[in-house]
Amino acid sequence: MKQYPIKKLYEEMEFIAYYNHWDYETLMNMEHRERIKWCEEISKINQNINGEKEKKNIFDI
């Protein structure tokens, strides 16, 4: 089993916490796929607000 890079984990958590103001425990208890989905959804909202066409999500591997 490959371990998820800790730097990437904290980037995802920081991104979600910044926009949704969720606490550390909530974010750490999320499954990886759920965190990625939240990052994608937040990115879509920001792109719509900024009038940008859909780009590659910064969290895409």
Side-chain angles (χ1 to χ4, degrees):
M1 184 172 161
K2 187 175 177 182
Q3 187 175 6
Y4 195 67
I6 193 77
K7 184 178 187 285
K8 195 82 160 151
L9 171 67
Y10 280 100
E11 286 174 354
E12 293 168 6
M13 290 174 51
E14 179 181 3
F15 187 73
I16 298 168
Y18 178 81
Y19 287 100
N20 289 4
H21 309 285
W22 292 349
D23 64 276
Y24 177 84
E25 186 175 333
T26 300
L27 295 169
M28 282 302 287
N29 286 325
M30 278 186 190
E31 294 289 328
H32 168 68
R33 290 179 191 203
E34 185 177 3
R35 272 193 312 274
I36 291 294
K37 184 64 179 166
W38 278 107
C39 290
E40 290 170 352
E41 294 303 319
I42 292 167
S43 292
K44 286 179 192 176
I45 291 168
N46 283 325
Q47 289 165 2
N48 287 334
I49 289 170
N50 295 326
E52 299 173 3
K53 293 185 179 185
E54 192 168 327
K55 296 187 224 175
K56 183 176 179 183
N57 187 294
I58 62 171
F59 293 102
D60 284 348
I61 296 174

